[in-house]
Amino acid sequence: LTEEVQVIELEANESVEVSLVEAAEACPVNAIRVIDAENNQDLVSVQLELKQAKEITAQYDDATEYLAHYSKELIHYAEVLGRKIIHLEKPRLTKEEFQKVIEKLNPKLILFNCHGDASTLYDEKINGEEQSLIVENENHELLQNRLVYARACSAGASLGIACTRKGDGCFIGYKRPFQFLIDETWATNPAKDNVAKTSLEPSNELAKCLIKGNPARDAVKRFMVVSGKNLSKLMTDMNKEEEGALAQMMILWNNMQANVLLGNPNLSLS
């Protein structure tokens, strides 16, 4: 697969240059490069410096902790609507258990909150090794003929295509990394983190639309509308020189551009 690269060229004064550099350095996946075209010099590089890298073994991370928090809101929403819920998480969440549940209960809608790449959706790490849940050309058929939303990095680039190549299913996901910033002040209490809310709120609104029974296309439209409102607010904040506004705008725009709807856009839970 060839990654899609977006290039923006502009003349920037010193203040804008500082803001751009800060935004790129804040990118959680090191995916934003800033170049001084006049001097052909990297102001922010996307190359990793191994001398600054270290290996960390953990059973969870901030990303999955935040997604777990926002999934609780979705569970409550589904309960209020009277939807039957199958909630899988560790230690019950394994590839084998997931397959058993899907084959036995045959759910029409599946929501993923997890790590991912172009061909795989993962559960948590065990001893530093990511454990796969869904792998393209291995068990992706489990998702065929279903309505799937994967709030995960890059799974819409290839896995989603494979899941919707046959049958009448729909896969909503992201063809590039799904990103959000956090305010480390609230890392242990995501509910109070308004920085993370900027990006995670639109994705929750998308999921709520699907749970409510709206067609996939309407859920994606809702995601774009809420994202647009948040972008407008961030633009106002940037004009007021609010710290971090530009970085949040770039992250939110990335998620909007990366969002994909594959398969049947009219599929719904109703």
Side-chain angles (χ1 to χ4, degrees):
L1 291 173
T2 302
E3 291 293 334
E4 181 180 340
V5 177
Q6 298 182 357
V7 178
I8 301 175
E9 184 174 344
L10 57 101
E11 294 184 8
N13 57 33
E14 184 176 350
S15 176
V16 173
E17 178 182 323
V18 170
S19 295
L20 287 170
V21 169
E22 289 178 349
E25 290 177 339
C27 176
V29 294
N30 197 46
I32 301 173
R33 183 183 183 190
V34 180
I35 305 172
D36 181 344
E38 183 177 344
N39 298 311
N40 193 27
Q41 176 185 2
D42 273 3
L43 300 180
V44 179
S45 174
V46 294
Q47 299 297 318
L48 294 176
E49 296 186 25
L50 296 180
K51 64 182 182 180
Q52 296 179 349
K54 61 180 179 180
E55 182 178 352
I56 300 175
T57 302
Q59 300 306 313
Y60 67 94
D61 55 38
D62 285 339
T64 51
E65 282 290 294
Y66 271 70
L67 294 182
H69 166 75
Y70 275 82
S71 70
K72 291 177 182 178
E73 178 184 339
L74 299 179
I75 291 171
H76 175 71
Y77 184 75
E79 290 173 340
V80 170
L81 292 179
R83 299 293 193 189
K84 182 178 179 181
I85 303 166
I86 309 160
H87 183 213
L88 294 180
E89 60 182 351
K90 282 295 185 184
R92 192 184 176 196
L93 181 58
T94 64
K95 182 189 292 186
E96 294 75 19
E97 182 65 21
F98 178 79
Q99 181 166 336
K100 288 179 183 178
V101 169
I102 297 301
E103 291 175 345
K104 180 179 179 180
L105 300 177
N106 193 30
K108 187 172 183 180
L109 171 64
I110 302 177
L111 306 178
F112 288 97
N113 292 289
C114 61
H115 289 297
D117 59 35
S119 62
T120 310
L121 292 172
Y122 299 95
D123 63 12
E124 295 179 1
K125 292 183 179 181
I126 298 179
N127 297 324
E129 294 292 328
E130 288 183 306
Q131 307 300 302
S132 62
L133 276 177
I134 298 293
V135 182
E136 185 177 345
N137 296 325
E138 181 179 314
N139 67 342
H140 75 264
E141 293 87 355
L142 287 171
L143 303 186
Q144 288 179 346
N145 296 307
R146 305 184 196 279
L147 180 53
V148 177
Y149 174 39
R151 183 158 53 182
C153 289
S154 307
S158 184
L159 176 63
I161 296 173
C163 292
T164 55
R165 190 170 288 129
K166 297 179 181 179
D168 191 41
C170 178
F171 187 103
I172 302 172
Y174 302 87
K175 60 185 177 182
R176 294 193 298 273
F178 175 80
Q179 302 177 9
F180 60 93
L181 296 177
I182 69 170
D183 181 345
E184 293 185 351
T185 305
W186 303 111
T188 58
N189 190 0
K192 295 186 177 181
D193 191 340
N194 289 325
V195 172
K197 183 179 179 181
T198 300
S199 295
L200 290 174
E201 177 188 40
S203 63
N204 255 32
E205 288 297 310
L206 191 163
K208 284 181 179 180
C209 281
L210 296 177
I211 294 169
K212 188 177 180 179
N214 293 337
R217 66 175 187 278
D218 290 351
V220 171
K221 182 178 179 180
R222 176 64 178 166
F223 168 80
M224 294 299 179
V225 167
V226 178
S227 295
K229 288 181 178 179
N230 288 354
L231 268 179
S232 296
K233 181 181 182 302
L234 288 169
M235 290 179 68
T236 301
D237 291 344
M238 190 173 71
N239 291 335
K240 296 178 181 178
E241 298 185 353
E242 291 283 342
E243 184 178 358
L246 180 57
Q248 292 181 68
M249 287 177 62
M250 295 175 75
I251 295 295
L252 191 56
W253 181 248
N254 168 80
N255 293 344
M256 295 173 71
Q257 292 294 300
N259 183 266
V260 291
L261 190 164
L262 305 166
N264 183 359
N266 299 313
L267 195 62
S268 71
L269 188 56
S270 298

